[in-house]
Each structure stands twice: as structure tokens, then as C-alpha cells.
Amino acid sequence: MTMPTTPPRFRLSTSPEIALSAAGGLSLLLLASLVLGKIGAAWLPGAGALLTLSAATAIVLALLRLPRVSRIAQVFLAGAFLATLIVALALPKALPAMQAALLQGTAFSAFLTALGLIRAPVRRSSLIARAAEGLFAHSARARVFAVSLGAQGISVLFNIGTIGMISDIARNHDAARKAAGKRGIDSRAMTLAALRGTLLMTVWSPIGLGFAIVTSAIPTLDPVRFFALAFGIVAVLSLAAAGLDAAATPVPPGPRPQDPAPEGRAVRWRLFWPPSPG
């Protein structure tokens, strides 16, 4: 009896090393052409050609990365090409709208590409390492609360990529502490705090879609008071979640680190909130 076999995944004939090198160069070309095209649209002749180049580069990048994505993503990309072909043949008047949609997708792809390019420098940054050392020297409650609120502030600016960046920092610091013979930290709790902060940001952020819907649906609602109320509720929820996380998180193995006591306001913080294990 023969076992059923799954259909082969799509593969390009390019070697992984060549594809990776080409993807790096194309990513820089995508960012440079898009930025120059957007900035020089008002005064630079031929800026539209740079935007077209950025869109073409984004398409080539998508094809290069196609073998590394899931099957459902490959199906969606094939459907997008088919839908574009149908629109071009059946509704030629809609091509300008399709071109605008392509440029919007290119800008979003450039944003994600830029976030991906800064992850490696963040891992190697000594400044980030010192900041993480100061943060993770606090108790589990304090650091979970700080990460939750900090993720909300970062998410207002970036909206995407916050969770992965904070998770990378936590994992790197956990590995560094263990290598130094110190007790590690629970990087999963830090990732959960980043996820919680990113989600709670949508409750109070004035530039968020939910805030705009609520304030526009209730004309008599004072946006400033609503912002203060929403942010206060989110802060209370973050504080309660930090306590619950600290109580439920097991103490990591290893000797307890002899970290220097934080100075200044953090000392007064510990007077009112004693440190918890971990």
C-alpha cells in the first residue's frame, strides 16, 4: 500500500546564498527608491519612475521569499496576480486604482522591511543591553508592568514589530544572564507583557481606529476625558496583570543574581511594592 504524498512546495532554482544576498540588496533598493520617490514627488523630475521601481522591487522580493512562506500565503499571492490580470482585461478603467493599491502595499512592505533591518542592530546594541540590564534588575512585577506600559508607547509609533523586538531583547538578556551564572528571566512573561501592551494601546490611543469610532459615534463625548478614563483603566489593568503574572510565573533556575539596587525613584517604588521572586 502506497502512502499518500503531499504535493511539492514551490521552489525557485536560485541557491539560498544567492537569494539571501539578492534579497538584502533589493531591500535597500526598495527603501531608497520609495523614500526618494515620496520626498522628491513635488520637485524631483522622474520621481514617479522611482515609485514604479520600488513597486517592481517589492514584487521581485515577494517572489524571492515565496518558497519560505506558508502554502496559504502562496495561494493568496497567486490569487492576487490572477485578480490583477482579470481587472486589467475586464476593467481597464480600474487600473489607476490598482496602481494606487500597489503603491500602498509597497509602502507597507517597506515599513516591514525597515523593521526587519533594525532587529539585528538592536540585538548587538550595547545601549540596549545596558537599558535591559537596568529594567530586568527590578522585580518580576515591576518589569512586567514597565514592559506592558512601554510596549503601549512604542506601539503608538510603530504599531507593528513591537512584540518581536521586545521578545528578542528579553531572550538575549536571559541568555546573557545564564551565561554569566546568574538567574535568568522568564522571556515568555516579557513577550506576554509586550503583547498585552500592544493590544491595550488600541483602547486609549487617540490615533487608533477604535478611539476615532467611539468619539465620532458619540458627539457629546469629550475626547480628552475619554482619553484620560481609557488610559486610567488600561493602567489599572496593566498593574493587576503584572501582579498576577508575577504570582503565576515560576522562579527560573540558577542562583539569585546580586544586581545593584536601583537608585533614585526606583528605591521609593520598592518601598511601596516589595520585590517578588524571579
Side-chain angles (χ1 to χ4, degrees):
M1 184 179 68
T2 60
M3 298 295 292
T5 58
T6 57
R9 291 173 61 89
F10 179 82
R11 288 289 184 273
L12 294 176
S13 57
T14 310
S15 66
E17 294 78 9
I18 297 178
L20 185 61
S21 177
L26 289 174
S27 298
L28 295 178
L29 178 61
L30 167 63
L31 294 174
S33 59
L34 182 65
V35 170
L36 291 177
K38 287 291 186 180
I39 294 177
W43 53 271
L44 182 65
L50 290 175
L51 296 178
T52 303
L53 175 62
S54 65
T57 305
I59 295 174
V60 175
L61 270 174
L63 293 176
L64 279 177
R65 294 169 177 167
L66 192 60
R68 302 176 60 183
V69 300
S70 62
R71 177 61 57 84
I72 187 64
Q74 296 176 3
V75 171
F76 271 108
L77 184 61
F81 277 112
L82 180 60
T84 303
L85 181 61
I86 293 175
V87 170
L89 295 177
L91 297 171
K93 293 182 178 180
L95 285 179
M98 297 291 291
Q99 182 180 4
L102 176 61
L103 291 178
Q104 290 177 355
T106 300
F108 187 70
S109 300
F111 173 67
L112 296 180
T113 301
L115 288 179
L117 291 177
I118 68 173
R119 292 184 72 172
V122 165
R123 293 191 189 101
R124 296 193 299 264
S125 172
S126 58
L127 179 62
I128 295 295
R130 290 197 302 270
E133 181 69 31
L135 171 63
F136 297 136
H138 291 276
S139 66
R141 291 193 191 99
R143 60 176 176 250
V144 169
F145 182 63
V147 169
S148 179
L149 290 185
Q152 294 181 47
I154 297 176
S155 297
V156 173
L157 300 176
F158 293 105
N159 201 10
I160 295 175
T162 303
I163 301 173
M165 183 171 61
I166 294 179
S167 178
D168 284 346
I169 295 173
R171 285 199 301 266
N172 292 342
H173 189 73
D174 177 59
R177 289 179 75 116
K178 291 178 179 178
K182 297 181 178 181
R183 176 181 295 173
I185 63 170
D186 190 351
S187 58
R188 295 173 300 178
M190 298 296 99
T191 304
L192 181 60
L195 174 61
R196 185 185 301 114
T198 302
L199 295 177
L200 289 177
M201 178 273 301
T202 60
V203 176
W204 59 265
S205 175
I207 62 176
L209 182 61
F211 193 95
I213 292 175
V214 172
T215 53
S216 61
I218 308 176
T220 58
L221 181 64
D222 185 353
V224 177
R225 291 184 178 180
F226 177 67
F227 167 77
L229 177 63
F231 188 81
I233 292 175
V234 166
V236 172
L237 290 176
S238 300
L239 196 61
L244 293 175
D245 276 350
T249 301
V251 178
R256 186 178 183 84
Q258 299 298 323
D259 293 317
E263 299 178 357
R265 296 182 180 178
V267 174
R268 295 193 293 272
W269 172 269
R270 287 199 172 193
L271 290 176
F272 292 98
W273 198 343
S276 63

